[in-house]
Amino acid sequence: MGTLRGYDKRIMVTGGAGFLGSHLCERLLADGHDVLCVDNYFTGSRHNIAHLLNNTRFEAMRHDVTFPLYVEVDEIYNLACPASPVHYQFDPVQTTKTSVHGAINVLGLAKRLGARILQASTSEVYGDPTVHPQPEEYWGNVNPIGPRACYDEGKRCAETLFFDYHRQHGLPIKVVRIFNTYGPRMHPNDGRVVSNFIMQALKGEPITIYGEGQQTRAFCYVDDLIEGFVRFMGTPEQHTGPLNLGNPGEFTMLELAEKVIRLTGTSSKIVHKPLPQDDPKQRRPDIAKAKSLLGWEPKVPLDDGLERTIAYFRSRFL
């Protein structure tokens, strides 16, 4: 199926009312495309897309991707899946279904339409890595029966399905592995470290660190990530990925907590709790491929991104 009007396309974003999805919808509209946002609002929010509803190029559809979907589009970004431990462990069977059945359904749609399709995979496919930083060639170290497996293994299976559709049916696919991303429209209760720290700081509550706080993460601001999505989708068909997208700047949890305390001006104190099961000790992307292929690397420094995120949380939740 060709593009409908030459330069612009009709693009479907599953999980389009979520944190990343809403920013992607916004970007695609700004680029002149028609956007179909598909979401079941389990973790997504109408508030995230409320400012887009009056745009005649934007359409919102309530739908769960574990059921087939029959629409006409030129491209698909598959972002549907709860992405924080609090949400994906709430109903782990449904989480696996969303990744696996969801992938089967959107891939079937893409095959029927001949549409290019991008899968939002995750750095969680690397598990608790024994290789650092993590290159795309690393196969990972995942506990297949642990409490995080519904997400980790669901996403790994989705990648399998994408590459099998590519090999078996010649489907034009793109697979990105997203490392920790933060910014406005994060869910305040998603249990992820940036939103946790900011909400605790703004409420003057103790800031919770698990273990000694020496485990590391790399934090990418949402605008940088979306830029990587769009650039990768525009590459020639032979570039399928998987492609790491994230910020290679590595910070300990203790460093992040201290930054949030300083930027919010809170009087909150840091408290330590035991480490959760299978919590990775370190996570940092090797982004050499993204730099080489896309000319992409994150631009927004952590302090700047945190300031924007804190401002959003202040205005929205306090």
Side-chain angles (χ1 to χ4, degrees), residues 275-296:
L275 274 172
Q277 183 182 343
D278 299 334
D279 190 44
K281 297 173 202 64
Q282 53 188 11
R283 191 64 71 60
R284 176 161 69 95
D286 179 331
I287 61 167
K289 284 190 175 177
K291 280 185 176 180
S292 168
L293 177 63
L294 309 177
W296 176 90

Side-chain angles (χ1 to χ4, degrees), residues 121-139:
S121 191
T122 172
S123 61
E124 296 294 334
V125 300
Y126 299 124
D128 189 2
T130 56
V131 173
H132 193 72
Q134 294 80 56
E136 289 87 350
E137 293 77 16
Y138 178 52
W139 288 358

Side-chain angles (χ1 to χ4, degrees), residues 13-299:
V13 179
T14 69
F19 162 46
L20 296 182
S22 61
H23 284 277
L24 178 59
C25 288
E26 205 169 56
R27 168 63 187 269
L28 295 172
L29 288 167
D31 287 349
H33 302 297
D34 288 351
V35 175
L36 172 61
C37 164
V38 174
D39 208 297
N40 68 349
Y41 302 108
F42 173 60
T43 56
S45 163
R46 289 177 185 80
H47 188 274
N48 290 341
I49 55 170
H51 63 296
L52 304 177
L53 293 173
N54 288 332
N55 189 323
T56 55
R57 286 178 169 268
F58 182 75
E59 181 182 353
M61 174 188 291
R62 184 178 189 129
H63 182 83
D64 187 323
V65 294
T66 60
F67 297 93
L69 179 62
Y70 303 99
V71 293
E72 304 296 318
V73 293
D74 301 302
E75 286 182 354
I76 299 167
Y77 287 82
N78 185 38
L79 276 62
C81 191
S84 75
V86 167
H87 291 142
Y88 67 63
Q89 291 172 5
F90 174 76
D91 187 345
V93 172
Q94 185 63 25
T95 295
T96 304
K97 282 183 177 178
T98 301
S99 283
V100 178
H101 291 185
I104 290 167
N105 288 329
V106 294
L107 285 163
L109 176 64
K111 179 181 169 226
R112 177 175 74 80
L113 299 172
R116 182 173 289 205
I117 180 167
L118 180 144
Q119 165 70 359
S121 191
T122 172
S123 61
E124 296 294 334
V125 300
Y126 299 124
D128 189 2
T130 56
V131 173
H132 193 72
Q134 294 80 56
E136 289 87 350
E137 293 77 16
Y138 178 52
W139 288 358
N141 177 38
V142 173
N143 175 0
I145 58 169
R148 300 171 73 102
C150 58
Y151 185 68
D152 302 1
E153 296 288 32
K155 287 288 193 179
R156 285 162 71 98
C157 185
E159 287 196 15
T160 302
L161 285 161
F162 266 71
F163 278 90
D164 283 339
Y165 264 79
H166 174 65
R167 284 185 288 256
Q168 191 172 335
H169 303 296
L171 193 66
I173 65 162
K174 307 283 179 185
V175 174
V176 296
R177 289 175 177 165
I178 303 166
F179 284 69
N180 286 51
T181 305
Y182 70 100
R185 298 185 211 141
M186 290 185 85
H187 196 291
N189 303 315
D190 66 6
R192 286 191 266 194
V193 65
V194 172
S195 48
N196 267 8
F197 285 2
I198 291 174
M199 288 302 289
Q200 287 170 340
L202 292 177
K203 291 176 177 177
E205 297 172 351
I207 292 181
T208 308
I209 284 183
Y210 296 98
E212 295 303 308
Q214 293 308 303
Q215 63 272 45
T216 64
R217 295 292 184 271
F219 300 100
C220 184
Y221 189 66
V222 61
D223 291 359
D224 285 332
L225 185 83
I226 298 304
E227 178 67 27
F229 275 15
V230 172
R231 287 193 195 188
F232 189 38
M233 187 64 115
T235 56
E237 285 190 11
Q238 69 265 28
H239 298 294
T240 57
L243 188 76
N244 286 340
L245 290 179
N247 195 324
E250 195 174 6
F251 295 88
T252 68
M253 297 301 92
L254 203 53
E255 287 173 320
L256 179 68
E258 287 164 353
K259 279 182 182 291
V260 169
I261 287 170
R262 175 171 54 81
L263 292 170
T264 56
T266 185
S267 57
S268 295
K269 299 289 184 271
I270 292 171
V271 296
H272 294 265
K273 292 194 174 178
L275 274 172
Q277 183 182 343
D278 299 334
D279 190 44
K281 297 173 202 64
Q282 53 188 11
R283 191 64 71 60
R284 176 161 69 95
D286 179 331
I287 61 167
K289 284 190 175 177
K291 280 185 176 180
S292 168
L293 177 63
L294 309 177
W296 176 90
E297 60 184 316
K299 298 279 194 285

